[in-house]
Amino acid sequence: MINPFASSTNPPNAPEEERVFDKGRPGTFAASLSHWDHPRTALGVRIMADHAVEHGYSREAVLASTGLSPEELDSSVTLVDARQEITATRNFLTLMKNRPGLGLEVGRKFHLTTYGQLGFALLSSPRTVDMTHTALRLLGLTFAFSTVTAEITPDGRYATRFSGDGVPEDVRQFLIERDLAATVTTHNELFAGDSTSVPLLSVRSQFAGVAGHPLFDVPVEFGAADTAIVFEREYLTQALPQACAETAQECISLCERILSERLDRRGAAAAVRARLLRLGGRDDGIVGAAQALHMTDRTLRRKLTAEGTSYRRIVDDVRAAVARELLEVDQLTATETAHRLGFGDLSSFLRAQRRWEQTVPGFRRD
């Protein structure tokens, strides 16, 4: 059964060559599974608002039409949804004239402490590879809008890639480059700002930009084929200076509980999605889901309709995400993936894939 927040189904105690390097073959070894449309603390919006204040604008101007007050940005218990942050981002970009490099500027202000308990989990990870798995497994506790994958490249480097599937086009560059800069900052702070300990080789952005925006002395290559950070491969097995496996595990357990509680508070759709992920994408029908959520199937349908979705749409979204992980990360065959997802036969799975290409944003068959 797939953990809903796991970056890979490989067990933590698997041999390193299987868990990290896939027996020496290039390819993806970890990937985020959670969708960007999740609740998050108000810190991401606050960082944008305060950046605007530094340039002569007001918090209120950034918060227009979000339903948030300036005071709520300073509360540790305030949760915002992704749509509110997107609205604030649009306001922010309008105020700041959406100038090149703005996402990189703001992303540098996201520190390890910005992520709360997750920051401590990353800081206390034994090695860089453990930190990477934890970060992608618990990406729903960050402010990321990117779909993130970690891989060994064909030329033997370690790369983290960022894509903006489903992110509105008018805010995509800012949010993806914000994630890019925040990730580089995280790596730097894991080593207390000692950039010599981080073998950063290149930083690429698929978007247009101008020179003069280096991230820790590494120039950003704009207009690249993808958005990615590339390190020396050996960096994956580098021990982190503040490693403590026991502390890391305690923090991870707490983070999982926090993330689960946030998803459950989102409403019926989030509860259905979280349950399907816990089941590894296996669907026992809306009646089974309703019983697990202590309501009738008629009530569940009504709640999902009120939230603008349907049970079938959620099932397709979750199954498509899990299928991608099984096929790309765990490198299962189509037949094995069909079985894991509960399809009766391979042809049913292939028909579902063709449907997902039309209905699930960002899904494609390779």
Side-chain angles (χ1 to χ4, degrees), residues 55-274:
H55 289 78
Y57 302 102
S58 66
R59 277 186 169 188
E60 288 83 357
V62 175
L63 298 178
S65 302
T66 64
L68 296 168
S69 69
E71 294 73 26
E72 286 179 300
L73 299 187
D74 297 320
S75 172
S76 62
V77 299
T78 299
L79 292 180
V80 302
D81 62 42
R83 300 298 170 179
Q84 288 175 298
E85 186 156 348
I86 286 173
T87 298
T89 300
R90 288 184 172 128
N91 295 336
F92 177 74
L93 293 179
T94 298
L95 294 170
M96 302 292 292
K97 308 298 188 291
N98 199 8
R99 54 182 169 75
L102 195 54
L104 300 177
E105 285 181 29
V106 175
R108 290 187 183 97
K109 297 186 175 183
F110 284 72
H111 303 288
L112 273 173
T113 52
T114 307
Y115 307 110
Q117 285 292 334
L118 178 59
F120 286 106
L122 303 182
L123 191 64
S124 55
S125 298
R127 302 168 301 164
T128 303
V129 65
D130 304 302
M131 181 278 298
T132 301
H133 276 282
T134 297
L136 296 189
R137 176 184 178 187
L138 296 167
L139 200 68
L141 285 179
T142 73
F143 307 91
F145 280 82
S146 303
T147 299
V148 186
T149 58
E151 65 180 61
I152 302 299
T153 63
D155 60 355
R157 307 294 174 79
Y158 157 41
T160 301
R161 300 187 190 276
F162 305 80
S163 66
D165 292 343
V167 179
E169 186 174 357
D170 61 329
V171 296
R172 187 178 301 157
Q173 177 172 356
F174 172 83
L175 291 173
I176 303 309
E177 289 188 346
R178 187 183 74 171
D179 294 343
L180 179 73
T183 302
V184 174
T185 300
T186 292
H187 282 277
N188 190 57
E189 292 184 347
L190 289 171
F191 292 88
D194 179 12
S195 58
T196 61
S197 298
V198 182
L200 180 60
L201 297 176
S202 65
V203 181
R204 304 194 295 261
S205 172
Q206 70 197 79
F207 305 102
V210 295
H213 293 284
L215 290 175
F216 300 102
D217 299 325
V218 176
V220 178
E221 177 191 346
F222 292 102
D226 60 357
T227 300
I229 308 167
V230 183
F231 305 88
E232 293 286 5
R233 174 173 170 167
E234 291 73 21
Y235 179 50
L236 280 171
T237 53
Q238 188 163 323
L240 299 188
Q242 300 188 62
C244 180
E246 294 77 14
T247 298
Q249 188 53 56
E250 288 180 11
C251 291
I252 289 170
S253 296
L254 180 56
C255 286
E256 289 175 339
R257 188 159 62 248
I258 293 171
L259 185 53
S260 180
E261 290 172 355
R262 285 185 187 176
L263 290 174
D264 288 344
R265 288 166 59 179
R266 275 291 307 278
V272 169
R273 184 176 288 107

Side-chain angles (χ1 to χ4, degrees), residues 7-27:
S7 58
S8 170
T9 53
N10 291 321
N13 58 351
E16 182 174 297
E17 66 272 19
E18 294 180 13
R19 184 164 66 92
V20 183
F21 302 123
D22 192 22
K23 298 181 180 179
R25 295 194 298 269

